[in-house]
Amino acid sequence: MEAHTRFETANGSKYMQQLCKHFAHKVAVDYDAERAEAALPPGPANMTADAGGLNITVRAQEAEGLTVAKGIIERHLIKFAFREPFDSLTWSA
């Protein structure tokens, strides 16, 4: 199973790198300024950043794991992007 979201921001690369640096304390990550993969416990999170935002895809074997993965990304992104006017992400299957 997988879910996708896009966070519209001029700081997509910055936030993606912050997420990866934070996740690297607990899981394997591989990233540069434009793309990233984090081995979250429920399944991998893949991210790409461009001038207009941050694209995120999370994967998991089951619906519960997908919910957990989306929550991990959303909670951390809200924390790192606290200056941005948002309080949740819109995910699609």
Side-chain angles (χ1 to χ4, degrees):
M1 303 183 81
E2 68 179 37
H4 312 278
T5 192
R6 178 165 172 84
F7 179 49
E8 298 290 338
T9 178
N11 299 305
S13 180
K14 173 186 168 184
Y15 296 142
M16 180 183 70
Q17 291 178 66
Q18 282 182 293
L19 288 167
C20 288
K21 288 174 186 175
H22 179 76
F23 293 154
H25 295 286
K26 294 192 176 192
V27 300
V29 297
D30 180 31
Y31 68 97
D32 59 30
E34 297 175 348
R35 55 132 216 93
E37 182 171 348
L40 300 180
N46 295 91
M47 298 170 266
T48 58
D50 57 44
L54 176 59
N55 296 297
I56 305 166
T57 300
V58 293
R59 292 180 182 79
Q61 293 295 317
E62 56 197 41
E64 183 180 337
L66 197 60
T67 299
V68 170
K70 292 188 303 187
I72 290 168
I73 294 290
E74 191 162 315
R75 282 190 314 278
H76 287 87
L77 188 55
I78 288 170
K79 183 169 75 171
F80 294 135
F82 64 91
R83 290 184 177 93
E84 303 275 351
F86 86 108
D87 59 4
S88 67
L89 297 169
T90 302
W91 294 88
S92 62

